[in-house]
Amino acid sequence: MHSLVLILILILMKYTSQDNKVSEFEFFQSRCDYNCTFEPYHVDAETLKLFPTKCREVCAYLLIDQTSDVAEKQLVTAFKNVKVLYGSLKVSKTNLTSIQFLSGVEFFECDTDSPLLFEANSELTEIGMTNFKSTSCGITLNNIQKMGRLNLPNLKNFYTLFDPPLLSIDIANKLCMTIEEITNFVSSDVLVMHPFHNPYCNFSSSELSKFDEKICEVQQFSLKSFDSSCKRIFGTVMIQSGDEEHVRKLENVTWIYGRIVINGTSLSVIDFFDHLEYVAYFKDDEYSIYIINNTGLTNAVFPNLKLVRTTNKNPRVIVFRDNNAQFSTVPTVCFNIRNSLNTTEKLIPYIDGRTCEDIANVSSVIEPFVWLMLIGTFLTLFVLNDYII
């Protein structure tokens, strides 16, 4: 009896294994010619001989690890003609210094929600896929202590087949991104970014020349002396008492690589960020847009704001606190800000500890009560008037 059960289990395992293999390679069938499909999972000196070196588009599940007895030069030769990859990539526990052997790859589509995974590569200093432009894959960097830069200057097109692609970085604090990489990543509607400590690299004049708009780095922001021809600001925009007459200088700003703080002004409305589209701030202990102690403030509009990108796990990225009481009692102000960002996140914006729904609920309770009070007061006066007459 036990022997029969064992035989049935073995048969079941055999067919399950075959089904899984068929399922795995179904993804490849509509994308690659059989001659351009690399079937071995593990890359080593023997399996690399089977790699379809003449193919421009290759389907493969690629694992390169500590047992992959291949030199970087061999990988460069094997992948030199590849422009498109379908499948997956895992580089783990190697001594590679970069992934430049894939520098010709322009497009990578993953067949699952598994990311392009780079983990525990002790000598890896960069990814270095300099022609990489488009992907459905997330990117995970884990336990890579020497990495200083991504060197992914052209990666800007993200799309999703499964879960949204995720940029997850869990490595040494020295990693930074160029302003070009940050711009490309932030502009994506689908890319999700996890926290990392030192997001911005020092940028050079040659890097800034790639942008059509003037970028200005500010250390101690002064609106009075701010150059209104700057369309992109690198640093914190601080607006405080005394700056009210200068706020129109910000009308042409499109990007802020930093945060906005408006504190203690006499402004009644924030309506001077006419062209602001993106705010990218990556410290997870502060709000990206923080508007506080403006006692006359009753309204705020950001007509072209598309995205406030942050790695803060707390989604309270736009916070209003201790402004005019009217600001926290009129739900349309709150909903207009949320709608401009095309988001359904309930904590955007966050006004005096309340969401838009909280404000709307309170308003719906208070408004009838106020009307009842007014009607009651009117009737009381009417009755008293008749009594006196």
Side-chain angles (χ1 to χ4, degrees):
M1 181 68 179
H2 291 294
S3 299
L4 179 60
V5 171
L6 180 59
I7 291 170
L8 289 172
I9 291 173
L10 289 173
I11 292 171
L12 180 61
M13 287 176 65
K14 176 183 177 182
Y15 282 102
T16 301
S17 176
Q18 290 175 345
D19 288 345
N20 287 340
K21 186 172 182 179
V22 170
S23 177
E24 283 181 355
F25 286 93
E26 278 178 357
F27 177 78
F28 292 165
Q29 289 173 5
S30 62
R31 290 167 171 81
C32 294
D33 184 271
Y34 177 77
N35 293 325
C36 292
T37 298
F38 180 62
E39 291 193 0
Y41 178 51
H42 186 256
V43 177
D44 56 37
E46 287 302 311
T47 61
L48 195 61
K49 295 175 183 177
L50 303 174
F51 192 83
T53 56
K54 294 182 180 180
C55 293
R56 184 181 180 275
E57 299 186 7
V58 174
C59 288
Y61 300 111
L62 298 171
L63 169 63
I64 304 172
D65 63 15
Q66 72 275 23
T67 64
S68 297
D69 53 346
V70 289
E72 191 168 349
K73 185 177 180 180
Q74 292 173 278
L75 293 169
V76 170
T77 301
F79 286 91
K80 67 179 180 180
N81 292 319
V82 179
K83 301 297 182 185
V84 177
L85 278 170
Y86 299 101
S88 64
L89 172 66
K90 180 179 179 181
V91 182
S92 176
K93 300 178 182 179
T94 73
N95 290 321
L96 292 170
T97 58
S98 78
I99 314 298
Q100 286 190 5
F101 62 89
L102 293 179
S103 61
V105 173
E106 299 176 3
F107 175 88
F108 203 132
E109 184 173 273
C110 291
D111 76 327
T112 68
D113 57 1
S114 298
L116 305 181
L117 177 61
F118 308 92
E119 64 176 2
N121 298 283
S122 59
E123 301 301 318
L124 197 66
T125 59
E126 65 171 15
I127 295 179
M129 295 169 64
T130 51
N131 289 297
F132 192 23
K133 298 176 182 178
S134 181
T135 187
S136 69
C137 313
I139 301 173
T140 295
L141 306 172
N142 185 30
N143 190 23
I144 306 176
Q145 299 303 313
K146 290 187 178 181
M147 181 171 281
R149 294 201 175 200
L150 294 177
N151 197 9
L152 296 171
N154 293 302
L155 181 56
K156 62 180 69 175
N157 299 311
F158 297 89
Y159 66 97
T160 178
L161 293 178
F162 302 95
D163 292 332
L166 169 70
L167 179 64
S168 178
I169 299 173
D170 181 18
I171 58 178
N173 294 355
K174 65 188 294 186
L175 176 78
C176 64
M177 294 186 196
T178 65
I179 197 167
E180 187 176 18
E181 288 168 337
I182 287 286
T183 300
N184 291 340
F185 294 167
V186 167
S187 301
S188 169
D189 292 331
V190 298
L191 181 68
V192 178
M193 298 176 69
H194 271 187
F196 59 106
H197 297 281
N198 187 33
Y200 295 115
C201 302
N202 295 327
F203 51 81
S204 62
S205 56
S206 62
E207 188 178 3
L208 297 186
S209 67
K210 297 176 183 178
F211 293 86
D212 295 331
E213 298 177 330
K214 183 176 180 179
I215 301 178
C216 300
E217 183 177 13
V218 294
Q219 298 295 335
Q220 298 293 327
F221 185 82
S222 168
L223 192 53
K224 184 178 181 180
S225 59
F226 175 67
D227 180 357
S228 58
S229 68
C230 298
K231 291 194 172 183
R232 298 186 181 220
I233 301 174
F234 190 88
T236 295
V237 173
M238 176 72 74
I239 303 172
Q240 47 200 339
S241 179
D243 290 334
E244 293 86 352
E245 62 183 294
H246 305 295
V247 293
R248 294 295 163 189
K249 288 185 173 185
L250 297 167
E251 287 180 334
N252 293 318
V253 172
T254 58
W255 279 73
I256 295 175
Y257 303 89
R259 69 190 299 234
I260 300 171
V261 179
I262 303 176
N263 184 10
T265 72
S266 60
L267 293 168
S268 60
V269 61
I270 296 170
D271 61 352
F272 42 83
F273 286 112
D274 293 5
H275 295 93
L276 182 63
E277 296 181 4
Y278 297 97
V279 177
Y281 187 68
F282 296 100
K283 291 187 178 179
D284 59 4
D285 58 345
E286 296 174 322
Y287 305 122
S288 302
I289 299 178
Y290 192 35
I291 300 171
I292 183 173
N293 295 327
N294 305 281
T295 55
L297 188 67
T298 58
N299 197 6
V301 290
F302 300 90
N304 286 295
L305 189 59
K306 296 177 180 177
L307 190 64
V308 179
R309 175 71 78 181
T310 179
T311 57
N312 196 338
K313 293 180 181 179
N314 180 349
R316 296 181 180 92
V317 295
I318 305 178
V319 173
F320 296 83
R321 183 172 292 162
D322 298 330
N323 300 294
N324 190 283
Q326 182 180 337
F327 202 92
S328 61
T329 58
V330 181
T332 53
V333 174
C334 187
F335 281 114
N336 285 342
I337 295 171
R338 183 189 292 176
N339 292 340
S340 71
L341 285 168
N342 193 29
T343 180
T344 57
E345 173 54 60
K346 289 188 175 182
L347 294 177
I348 298 178
Y350 203 56
I351 301 176
D352 291 325
R354 296 175 179 173
T355 65
C356 298
E357 287 75 11
D358 293 336
I359 294 170
N361 290 337
V362 170
S363 177
S364 66
V365 171
I366 290 178
E367 211 169 290
F369 180 74
V370 169
W371 277 108
L372 285 172
M373 290 291 292
L374 289 173
I375 292 169
T377 302
F378 175 78
L379 290 174
T380 301
L381 291 173
F382 182 78
V383 170
L384 286 173
N385 185 58
D386 284 349
Y387 179 77
I388 292 171
I389 292 173

